[in-house]
Amino acid sequence: MTAAGSGAQTAGRPTRLPRSARRKQLLAAAQEVFVAQGYHAAAMDDIAERAGVSKPVLYQHFPGKLELYLALLDTHCDAIVAKVHDAMEGTSDNKERVNGAVQAYFDFVDHKSEAFRLVFESDLRNEPAVRERVERVEQGCIAAITDTIMADTGVSRFNAELLASGLVGAAETAAQFWLASGRQVPKSEAESLMSALFWRGIASFPLQGESA
């Protein structure tokens, strides 16, 4: 089964799709190929075949393999940052905020698409455009948590950034370790374990207006 699905062709001829739908189809095919093969081993021929289209159709939407890869990175990088931001903004309960941030990372690495490999395990990290996007994920997640810590505790920006970077780095590492270790405990249990660790540390900082 290709990413194009059974309706990609009719009587041997490609089905005409709206441009946005075709782009989505091509990105889905490219993601499957990049996750399975890595950037360097993947070929535009492979992606076109997976999508069930000709190479000229693929090049009508993306001028090259790098542009395809960057489009996928943009989608997934923005998604993980948005999830962490939503975890901070979606509640005023700080314990739930911690839980939400941790869950965002575990959900990302546990998704059946394995898109996290494009962000966290890219074999193209030396490419400046890729490195910029990967760094943007870390910086965006840290910024979202930093603002919350500063607003609630009144600590300095640097101290808040330091705390936020610790949470982000540990959540990412723990989620990948859990996955690489074969999901030896249920995801919910792993999330609760890490959330408890982070919460015990962050909760020791008094809210503004409270005594230390």
Side-chain angles (χ1 to χ4, degrees):
M1 176 71 70
T2 68
S6 60
Q9 294 188 343
T10 301
R13 300 182 63 184
T15 302
R16 286 188 176 275
L17 294 176
R19 185 171 182 83
S20 60
R22 179 69 77 192
R23 177 182 172 88
K24 183 177 180 179
Q25 173 204 10
L26 296 175
L27 286 171
Q31 179 170 302
E32 291 176 5
V33 173
F34 286 136
V35 166
Q37 301 181 21
Y39 178 83
H40 293 294
M44 293 293 269
D45 284 329
D46 300 328
I47 296 169
E49 181 179 355
R50 184 70 61 92
V53 301
S54 65
K55 280 180 67 177
V57 169
L58 181 57
Y59 281 113
Q60 285 174 11
H61 293 264
F62 299 97
K65 186 168 71 167
L66 179 60
E67 287 75 15
L68 254 174
Y69 195 81
L70 294 178
L72 284 168
L73 273 184
D74 283 335
T75 297
H76 296 298
C77 288
D78 290 347
I80 184 65
V81 173
K83 286 183 179 180
V84 172
H85 184 271
D86 289 346
M88 298 298 106
E89 296 294 324
T91 179
S92 59
D93 184 322
N94 286 326
K95 189 173 183 179
E96 286 303 312
R97 284 169 166 165
V98 171
N99 292 342
V102 171
Q103 185 178 356
Y105 279 93
F106 275 82
D107 284 349
F108 187 47
V109 304
D110 193 42
H111 195 276
K112 64 181 181 180
S113 70
E114 297 188 76
F116 80 93
R117 299 190 188 281
L118 304 180
V119 180
F120 297 147
E121 299 179 359
S122 175
D123 59 348
L124 198 61
R125 293 290 287 268
N126 289 333
E127 166 63 42
V130 172
R131 185 168 61 248
E132 184 274 329
R133 285 162 171 79
V134 173
E135 290 174 352
R136 191 175 71 208
V137 172
E138 181 178 294
Q139 293 165 358
C141 292
I142 288 174
I145 298 172
T146 294
D147 290 342
T148 300
I149 292 174
M150 287 182 64
D152 283 0
T153 67
V155 300
S156 70
R157 172 163 290 278
F158 177 78
N159 286 351
E161 287 176 335
L162 194 58
L163 291 168
S165 67
L167 194 159
V168 166
E172 177 187 329
T173 300
Q176 292 188 78
F177 178 82
W178 169 79
L179 184 68
S181 299
R183 301 179 175 92
Q184 294 187 38
V185 298
K187 182 160 73 77
S188 59
E189 183 178 337
E191 291 169 352
S192 295
L193 187 66
M194 297 311 301
S195 295
L197 172 64
F198 299 144
W199 177 244
R200 289 186 179 186
I202 291 176
S204 66
F205 291 86
L207 298 176
Q208 291 200 69
E210 293 182 354
S211 299

